[in-house]
PDB file of all heavy atoms in Angstrom:
ATOM      1  N   ALA A1720      87.220 103.305  46.844  1.00 96.00           N
ATOM      2  CA  ALA A1720      88.462 103.683  46.158  1.00 96.00           C
ATOM      3  C   ALA A1720      88.429 103.280  44.683  1.00 96.00           C
ATOM      4  O   ALA A1720      87.638 102.418  44.267  1.00 96.00           O
ATOM      5  CB  ALA A1720      89.655 103.043  46.850  1.00 96.00           C
ATOM      6  N   ASP A1721      89.304 103.903  43.902  1.00 97.00           N
ATOM      7  CA  ASP A1721      89.447 103.564  42.482  1.00 97.00           C
ATOM      8  C   ASP A1721      90.713 102.760  42.213  1.00 97.00           C
ATOM      9  O   ASP A1721      90.758 101.974  41.265  1.00 97.00           O
ATOM     10  CB  ASP A1721      89.478 104.846  41.650  1.00 97.00           C
ATOM     11  CG  ASP A1721      88.156 105.599  41.700  1.00 97.00           C
ATOM     12  OD1 ASP A1721      87.151 105.070  41.197  1.00 97.00           O
ATOM     13  OD2 ASP A1721      88.140 106.699  42.279  1.00 97.00           O
ATOM     14  N   ALA A1722      91.736 102.950  43.027  1.00 98.00           N
ATOM     15  CA  ALA A1722      92.982 102.191  42.885  1.00 98.00           C
ATOM     16  C   ALA A1722      93.667 102.127  44.241  1.00 98.00           C
ATOM     17  O   ALA A1722      93.538 103.045  45.057  1.00 98.00           O
ATOM     18  CB  ALA A1722      93.903 102.829  41.855  1.00 98.00           C
ATOM     19  N   PHE A1723      94.401 101.040  44.478  1.00 98.00           N
ATOM     20  CA  PHE A1723      95.076 100.838  45.758  1.00 98.00           C
ATOM     21  C   PHE A1723      96.577 100.957  45.557  1.00 98.00           C
ATOM     22  O   PHE A1723      97.140 100.393  44.611  1.00 98.00           O
ATOM     23  CB  PHE A1723      94.739  99.469  46.340  1.00 98.00           C
ATOM     24  CG  PHE A1723      95.124  99.309  47.784  1.00 98.00           C
ATOM     25  CD1 PHE A1723      94.314  99.804  48.792  1.00 98.00           C
ATOM     26  CD2 PHE A1723      96.307  98.677  48.140  1.00 98.00           C
ATOM     27  CE1 PHE A1723      94.658  99.665  50.123  1.00 98.00           C
ATOM     28  CE2 PHE A1723      96.667  98.535  49.474  1.00 98.00           C
ATOM     29  CZ  PHE A1723      95.834  99.036  50.469  1.00 98.00           C
ATOM     30  N   VAL A1724      97.242 101.706  46.437  1.00 98.00           N
ATOM     31  CA  VAL A1724      98.690 101.907  46.334  1.00 98.00           C
ATOM     32  C   VAL A1724      99.371 101.454  47.625  1.00 98.00           C
ATOM     33  O   VAL A1724      98.824 101.605  48.716  1.00 98.00           O
ATOM     34  CB  VAL A1724      99.028 103.389  46.049  1.00 98.00           C
ATOM     35  CG1 VAL A1724      98.554 103.778  44.659  1.00 98.00           C
ATOM     36  CG2 VAL A1724      98.412 104.326  47.082  1.00 98.00           C
ATOM     37  N   HIS A1725     100.556 100.878  47.472  1.00 98.00           N
ATOM     38  CA  HIS A1725     101.273 100.357  48.652  1.00 98.00           C
ATOM     39  C   HIS A1725     102.749 100.256  48.289  1.00 98.00           C
ATOM     40  O   HIS A1725     103.188  99.255  47.723  1.00 98.00           O
ATOM     41  CB  HIS A1725     100.713  98.983  49.037  1.00 98.00           C
ATOM     42  CG  HIS A1725     101.058  98.554  50.432  1.00 98.00           C
ATOM     43  ND1 HIS A1725     102.322  98.159  50.799  1.00 98.00           N
ATOM     44  CD2 HIS A1725     100.307  98.453  51.547  1.00 98.00           C
ATOM     45  CE1 HIS A1725     102.317  97.826  52.080  1.00 98.00           C
ATOM     46  NE2 HIS A1725     101.111  97.991  52.555  1.00 98.00           N
ATOM     47  N   HIS A1726     103.535 101.291  48.618  1.00 98.00           N
ATOM     48  CA  HIS A1726     104.930 101.373  48.177  1.00 98.00           C
ATOM     49  C   HIS A1726     105.861 100.730  49.216  1.00 98.00           C
ATOM     50  O   HIS A1726     106.604 101.404  49.923  1.00 98.00           O
ATOM     51  CB  HIS A1726     105.321 102.835  47.956  1.00 98.00           C
ATOM     52  CG  HIS A1726     106.560 103.002  47.136  1.00 98.00           C
ATOM     53  ND1 HIS A1726     106.565 103.632  45.917  1.00 98.00           N
ATOM     54  CD2 HIS A1726     107.838 102.593  47.342  1.00 98.00           C
ATOM     55  CE1 HIS A1726     107.794 103.630  45.425  1.00 98.00           C
ATOM     56  NE2 HIS A1726     108.585 102.997  46.270  1.00 98.00           N
ATOM     57  N   SER A1727     105.837  99.405  49.278  1.00 97.00           N
ATOM     58  CA  SER A1727     106.668  98.687  50.244  1.00 97.00           C
ATOM     59  C   SER A1727     108.144  98.836  49.917  1.00 97.00           C
ATOM     60  O   SER A1727     108.547  98.764  48.757  1.00 97.00           O
ATOM     61  CB  SER A1727     106.314  97.198  50.246  1.00 97.00           C
ATOM     62  OG  SER A1727     105.003  96.994  50.716  1.00 97.00           O
ATOM     63  N   ILE A1728     108.959  99.032  50.965  1.00 97.00           N
ATOM     64  CA  ILE A1728     110.409  99.143  50.800  1.00 97.00           C
ATOM     65  C   ILE A1728     111.113  98.332  51.887  1.00 97.00           C
ATOM     66  O   ILE A1728     110.508  97.984  52.909  1.00 97.00           O
ATOM     67  CB  ILE A1728     110.894 100.606  50.874  1.00 97.00           C
ATOM     68  CG1 ILE A1728     110.653 101.176  52.287  1.00 97.00           C
ATOM     69  CG2 ILE A1728     110.239 101.465  49.803  1.00 97.00           C
ATOM     70  CD1 ILE A1728     111.377 102.490  52.540  1.00 97.00           C
ATOM     71  N   THR A1729     112.377  98.041  51.657  1.00 95.00           N
ATOM     72  CA  THR A1729     113.220  97.472  52.712  1.00 95.00           C
ATOM     73  C   THR A1729     113.669  98.619  53.602  1.00 95.00           C
ATOM     74  O   THR A1729     114.232  99.600  53.123  1.00 95.00           O
ATOM     75  CB  THR A1729     114.447  96.776  52.106  1.00 95.00           C
ATOM     76  OG1 THR A1729     114.002  95.776  51.184  1.00 95.00           O
ATOM     77  CG2 THR A1729     115.294  96.133  53.197  1.00 95.00           C
ATOM     78  N   SER A1730     113.397  98.525  54.901  1.00 93.00           N
ATOM     79  CA  SER A1730     113.689  99.633  55.803  1.00 93.00           C
ATOM     80  C   SER A1730     115.185  99.766  56.048  1.00 93.00           C
ATOM     81  O   SER A1730     115.981  98.898  55.669  1.00 93.00           O
ATOM     82  CB  SER A1730     112.971  99.432  57.143  1.00 93.00           C
ATOM     83  OG  SER A1730     113.633  98.447  57.919  1.00 93.00           O
ATOM     84  N   SER A1731     115.573 100.834  56.712  1.00 93.00           N
ATOM     85  CA  SER A1731     116.990 101.090  57.010  1.00 93.00           C
ATOM     86  C   SER A1731     117.582 100.031  57.932  1.00 93.00           C
ATOM     87  O   SER A1731     118.799  99.849  57.973  1.00 93.00           O
ATOM     88  CB  SER A1731     117.144 102.481  57.645  1.00 93.00           C
ATOM     89  OG  SER A1731     116.318 102.600  58.796  1.00 93.00           O
ATOM     90  N   THR A1732     116.728  99.312  58.671  1.00 89.00           N
ATOM     91  CA  THR A1732     117.209  98.239  59.547  1.00 89.00           C
ATOM     92  C   THR A1732     117.132  96.875  58.879  1.00 89.00           C
ATOM     93  O   THR A1732     117.473  95.867  59.484  1.00 89.00           O
ATOM     94  CB  THR A1732     116.393  98.206  60.853  1.00 89.00           C
ATOM     95  OG1 THR A1732     115.015  97.937  60.544  1.00 89.00           O
ATOM     96  CG2 THR A1732     116.493  99.518  61.603  1.00 89.00           C
TER      97      THR A1732
END
Side-chain angles (χ1 to χ4, degrees):
D1721 294 294
F1723 194 81
V1724 292
H1725 198 288
H1726 197 117
S1727 294
I1728 66 167
T1729 303
S1730 76
S1731 55
T1732 62

